[in-house]
Amino acid sequence: MMQQPPAGGVAPPQSMAADQSQTQQYQQQPQSQPWMMMQQQQQPQAGQPVPPPSGWAPQPVPPPSQMQQYPAGSATAGSSEIRSLWIGDLQQWMDENYLINIFAHTGEVASAKVIRNKQTGLPEGYGFIEFVSRAAAERVLQSYNGVPMPNSEQNFRLNWAALGYGEKRQDEGPDYTIFVGDLAADVSDYMLQETFKAVYPSVKGAKVVTDRTTGRSKGYGFVRFGDETEQLRAMTEMNGIYCSTRAMRIGPAANKKPVTGQQYPKASYQNTQGNPGENDPNNTTIFVGGLDPSVSEDQLKQIFSQLGEVVHVKIPANKHCGFVQYANR
DNA sequence: TATGAGCGG
């Protein structure tokens, strides 16, 4: 029996960011990117651990009763579709109740779990949230990723759970990783991943390195490819390309070389601004995240045309993101 | 500016 939840979409987490005026200001601030207009930057105090808000007592081991109100797999398709999200950068005080409460208003949370160390019982800093459907999970992923978490000064770090319930990890082969530096402060894992995925289908994932204490980006990250050829292409083609508000600087990942030999000298990654053509390094495709559903491709084009000649704009159906391609910059 | 560590029940 299928109980179909109201699939009206996830309400943007406005209430959690009451100090953010994320109203439509498309006409203003021509220098700002859309995702910056829609979610202003919060600047946490550096070097200061986020204190647990009152009402959220640290609980190394929560009462199991809390979790049983939301039995897993209690809704929708028995299929093996992945409908869980991985959530990272959790503070010690963020327990299952916290996670469930965050998304309770969607009415689409099936269960939540914070992973704890078997010996110490202390949280490992990540967890899983299962939703009633993959669509529900995707809505949350699109809406919440990268925006500030309630009662915290850090941003949501969400991603698809790698495994569906009861499935085993499948070895998808080696990873070919690149280092990406000079990232803007608002670039999330997802944004970084999609920026590359739009060009290279073999992209498996991306990670922006953050300060665990503050949750703030350290300004660099990594992108993993399944295909070595695409990795090598990205090294040159994506160097200097904009992600959010800044041009990326790409280099080889320092460790974890999946293939033997062949170290890549840094000099070869300098963008020479040379060879035009279909792989013209001057071509730039920008990923635009956190879009309001009402934004059209034309509007997006107008906004971005202030920064250069836009040759193509694409907003995939049912997504909260888009791609803007410049002729050059 | 610069080279993490993030997948359970």
Side-chain angles (χ1 to χ4, degrees):
Chain A
M1 44 195 73
M2 283 186 293
Q3 53 177 135
Q4 202 61 312
V10 179
Q14 296 161 332
S15 58
M16 306 161 180
D19 56 333
Q20 298 187 351
S21 53
Q22 23 177 291
T23 47
Q24 54 281 30
Q25 13 182 301
Y26 302 123
Q27 314 304 330
Q28 303 171 0
Q29 298 180 325
Q31 294 305 319
S32 298
Q33 307 295 319
W35 52 81
M36 296 194 67
M37 301 179 196
M38 314 204 67
Q39 49 187 73
Q40 290 184 6
Q41 301 301 296
Q42 271 196 345
Q43 301 297 347
Q45 302 297 318
Q48 198 172 6
V50 179
S54 56
W56 289 106
Q59 294 180 322
V61 181
S65 58
Q66 290 179 353
M67 290 171 273
Q68 273 143 26
Q69 309 169 0
Y70 306 89
S74 61
T76 321
S79 72
S80 59
E81 68 171 7
I82 297 177
R83 51 181 187 266
S84 294
L85 298 181
W86 180 93
I87 182 169
D89 286 358
L90 295 179
Q91 304 280 1
Q92 301 260 311
W93 55 271
M94 295 175 175
D95 56 11
E96 281 81 357
N97 253 349
Y98 173 81
L99 296 180
I100 286 171
N101 285 335
I102 290 174
F103 304 109
H105 70 278
T106 69
E108 298 181 307
V109 178
S111 66
K113 181 159 190 62
V114 171
I115 304 306
R116 294 180 173 78
N117 184 285
K118 286 285 198 301
Q119 275 85 44
T120 67
L122 292 173
E124 297 277 18
Y126 70 94
F128 298 89
I129 306 156
E130 186 188 9
F131 293 85
V132 298
S133 67
R134 181 179 179 86
E138 180 151 23
R139 281 190 287 273
V140 167
L141 178 62
Q142 303 278 0
S143 310
Y144 286 82
N145 209 359
V147 312
M149 300 180 74
N151 295 321
S152 170
E153 295 194 339
Q154 63 189 87
N155 294 340
F156 278 102
R157 168 163 270 175
L158 293 164
N159 217 325
W160 286 111
L163 313 171
Y165 185 83
E167 290 181 22
K168 289 187 175 170
R169 172 184 290 281
Q170 51 183 0
D171 187 4
E172 293 181 3
D175 286 349
Y176 303 94
T177 304
I178 62 173
F179 172 88
V180 183
D182 214 14
L183 292 176
D186 66 308
V187 174
S188 66
D189 296 350
Y190 186 73
M191 193 188 299
L192 185 62
Q193 170 179 316
E194 295 305 311
T195 297
F196 281 83
K197 212 172 196 173
V199 187
Y200 310 104
S202 81
V203 167
K204 291 181 175 180
K207 166 150 193 196
V208 175
V209 178
T210 58
D211 185 302
R212 275 312 299 266
T213 317
T214 66
R216 294 175 67 182
S217 168
K218 287 187 173 178
Y220 65 90
F222 300 87
V223 179
R224 292 180 295 115
F225 297 78
D227 178 59
E228 185 180 19
T229 305
E230 291 192 349
Q231 175 212 28
L232 295 176
R233 280 180 49 208
M235 289 261 187
T236 53
E237 294 173 0
M238 298 297 277
N239 194 31
I241 299 304
Y242 272 70
C243 181
S244 182
T245 56
R246 301 181 72 171
M248 297 179 286
R249 294 298 156 194
I250 299 181
N255 50 5
K256 274 272 183 182
K257 278 273 182 279
V259 281
T260 58
Q262 189 66 357
Q263 299 294 316
Y264 309 107
K266 274 194 173 178
S268 67
Y269 302 113
Q270 301 302 322
N271 190 346
T272 59
Q273 306 293 325
N275 62 317
E278 64 174 18
N279 291 334
D280 187 344
N282 290 322
N283 275 348
T284 68
T285 299
I286 294 181
F287 171 78
V288 185
L291 283 183
D292 187 275
S294 67
V295 175
S296 69
E297 292 181 350
D298 281 347
Q299 286 176 311
L300 208 56
K301 182 168 185 175
Q302 274 204 331
I303 294 168
F304 279 86
S305 290
Q306 301 173 42
L307 303 174
E309 182 189 352
V310 174
V311 297
H312 189 61
V313 174
K314 178 65 181 176
I315 299 180
N318 303 319
K319 301 286 186 184
H320 295 199
C321 65
F323 301 94
V324 178
Q325 183 182 6
Y326 284 102
N328 51 54
R329 50 178 190 81

